[in-house]
Amino acid sequence: MQKKLAAFLFSTRLTAILFIVFAAAMAVGTLLDASSETSPTPYSRELIYNAWWFEAIMVFFVINFIGNIVRFRLYKKEKWATLILHLSFILILVGAFVTRYIGYEGRMEIREGATENVFLSEHTYVTAFIDGDYMVDGVEQRRVIPPKKVRLSERLDNNFSITSDYNGIPVTIAYKDFIKNAKESLVEDDNGEGYLKIVESGGGEKHEHWLQIGQVANIHNILFALNNPTEGAVNITYNETDGSYKMSSPFEGSFLNMAELSAAGIQPGQAMANVEQYQRPFVKDSVQTLMLRSLYNMADMQFVIPDPLTKGRQGVVKAEGLEKTNKDGLILEVSSGKETKTIELLGGPGTAPDPTKVTVNGLDVFLTYGSKEYELPFSITLRDFIAEKYPGTEKNYKSFKSKLTVSDSETEFFDTEVFMNNVLDHKGYRFF
């Protein structure tokens, strides 16, 4: 009797210790993610949730629960209540292992009225393939490198490398840097090309664009050209000799010299009567001096060219201030033979970017950083999306509901709804 009591106390203490450690680990993980909008983050996953010791705790849980069932004969009728409790914990933990090691998660974005059958993985991968001059039966051969799963964070040591070869020629891809909340922009470089920065609000939001000398850019369906006269475009001319700027436009417009407004103590957002006297016309199809740091208004677009011509190259940089890009930057070094080149990738979770090419040692190496694409054996149409707000609020939402049509074929389909605590289960997939 004393042995049974001692065994019971030991088992109870072990279970209590495991629960305390488990709860403490999750609490620490929550604190680590306190400054993040999403949880868990790669940082907390790497340190806690995907760590071997965290999984070991769950394994000990299962072993302990099974041991209790056998040792204390919980399968007897009078102990079924305790048996059900133990079996529930075992089922939850086994389900967690199945989800992690057999199943996979992802995100499926569907616009209202659209149909999709592809979703993007939760995990991110570096994918690569190599093209060269190796031929078989007149067909150029491609070396596809298995995707490398990566979990990157500014707070982690992200070092990794991928080694492969193309027809016996070694190729190495190595981590160099990671940029959270990144975007593609201009990186200043005295040896680079000349660019003009255009800041516009044609789509209702502020955006930055870089216009390269000799190129034409489409900004909200309006063409802008720099030193490349183009019919129907807003043509900007830069004179390298004297540093002057000229502009012609196929649209009538006006502009405000911000320096004059500032000197007069007037802000652009003030009453129009205070600003009108400083507003100057921009005549259609005429060549006029381009005033830097002036607010131009034409073709339902407002834009400013704030700075003189800048020399640089397009690259991946960290977004400034509160700007959210929902993308990250990954900088890699690709080496083959005696040649090493740097390549900058823009991607991250929930993205499926096109491959970026770098040529090294005569080989074309294509790389992407983002999620895997998975194709479903059926398609889903979003008929209607309903977001219900709390009364008297504009940004706080009470509930969400998606009205869906699931199609297995042209003749086999059904309608359903997905909302809180009402999930869609179909052919081994679960949608929340």
Side-chain angles (χ1 to χ4, degrees), residues 220-239:
H220 296 297
N221 295 321
I222 297 177
L223 298 179
F224 285 80
L226 178 58
N227 285 12
N228 183 6
T230 303
E231 186 176 354
V234 176
N235 286 292
I236 302 172
T237 304
Y238 167 68
N239 189 322

Side-chain angles (χ1 to χ4, degrees), residues 367-423:
L367 291 152
T368 63
Y369 167 56
S371 298
K372 272 186 182 180
E373 285 189 339
Y374 291 99
E375 186 172 342
L376 296 172
F378 53 90
S379 61
I380 297 178
T381 302
L382 177 61
R383 303 194 320 276
D384 190 20
F385 176 72
I386 302 170
E388 183 180 354
K389 298 177 181 178
Y390 286 103
T393 64
E394 290 295 328
K395 296 183 179 180
N396 295 324
Y397 290 91
K398 180 180 179 182
S399 64
F400 302 95
K401 179 188 288 188
S402 297
K403 295 185 176 182
L404 309 173
T405 297
V406 182
S407 303
D408 294 313
S409 66
E410 293 183 1
T411 57
E412 297 180 7
F413 58 89
F414 63 91
D415 294 337
T416 187
E417 295 181 352
V418 173
F419 50 90
M420 181 65 73
N421 297 326
N422 190 76
V423 302

Side-chain angles (χ1 to χ4, degrees), residues 182-204:
K183 66 177 182 179
E184 194 170 24
S185 188
L186 191 74
V187 179
E188 293 190 21
D189 185 349
D190 291 337
N191 298 320
E193 301 293 333
Y195 289 84
L196 269 184
K197 181 181 181 180
I198 300 176
V199 182
E200 54 80 23
S201 57

Side-chain angles (χ1 to χ4, degrees), residues 30-67:
T30 302
L31 292 174
L32 291 176
D33 293 338
S35 60
S36 176
E37 294 181 358
T38 59
S39 181
T41 62
Y43 184 59
S44 60
R45 283 185 182 276
E46 192 71 22
L47 293 185
I48 297 177
Y49 300 118
N50 288 78
W52 67 267
W53 58 265
F54 191 77
E55 294 182 347
I57 291 175
M58 292 187 281
V59 171
F60 281 121
F61 265 131
V62 173
I63 295 172
N64 191 48
F65 289 138
I66 294 174

Side-chain angles (χ1 to χ4, degrees), residues 167-301:
N167 193 29
I169 303 174
V171 177
T172 301
I173 302 166
Y175 168 86
K176 184 177 182 181
D177 197 9
F178 173 74
I179 304 172
K180 182 68 177 176
N181 194 39
K183 66 177 182 179
E184 194 170 24
S185 188
L186 191 74
V187 179
E188 293 190 21
D189 185 349
D190 291 337
N191 298 320
E193 301 293 333
Y195 289 84
L196 269 184
K197 181 181 181 180
I198 300 176
V199 182
E200 54 80 23
S201 57
E205 295 182 0
K206 180 181 174 181
H207 299 100
E208 295 181 358
H209 306 268
W210 290 95
L211 183 61
Q212 184 180 345
I213 287 182
Q215 290 192 345
V216 180
N218 187 329
I219 303 176
H220 296 297
N221 295 321
I222 297 177
L223 298 179
F224 285 80
L226 178 58
N227 285 12
N228 183 6
T230 303
E231 186 176 354
V234 176
N235 286 292
I236 302 172
T237 304
Y238 167 68
N239 189 322
E240 190 173 357
T241 303
D242 58 11
S244 63
Y245 301 87
K246 301 289 184 181
M247 185 169 72
S248 64
S249 170
F251 311 103
E252 294 285 348
S254 61
F255 68 95
L256 290 167
N257 190 315
M258 307 304 288
E260 291 180 359
L261 290 179
S262 179
I266 299 174
Q267 299 298 321
Q270 291 183 358
M272 199 64 194
N274 296 331
V275 178
E276 280 184 349
Q277 59 181 313
Y278 297 95
Q279 192 166 343
R280 301 176 185 177
F282 194 96
V283 182
K284 173 183 177 181
D285 295 328
S286 67
V287 178
Q288 296 182 219
T289 299
L290 172 63
M291 306 292 293
L292 298 180
R293 293 174 289 280
S294 293
L295 179 64
Y296 285 85
N297 192 338
M298 57 182 66
D300 295 324
M301 175 188 289

Side-chain angles (χ1 to χ4, degrees), residues 324-335:
K324 294 186 182 299
T325 65
N326 296 320
K327 293 182 179 180
D328 300 326
L330 176 60
I331 302 175
L332 302 171
E333 287 186 338
V334 182
S335 303

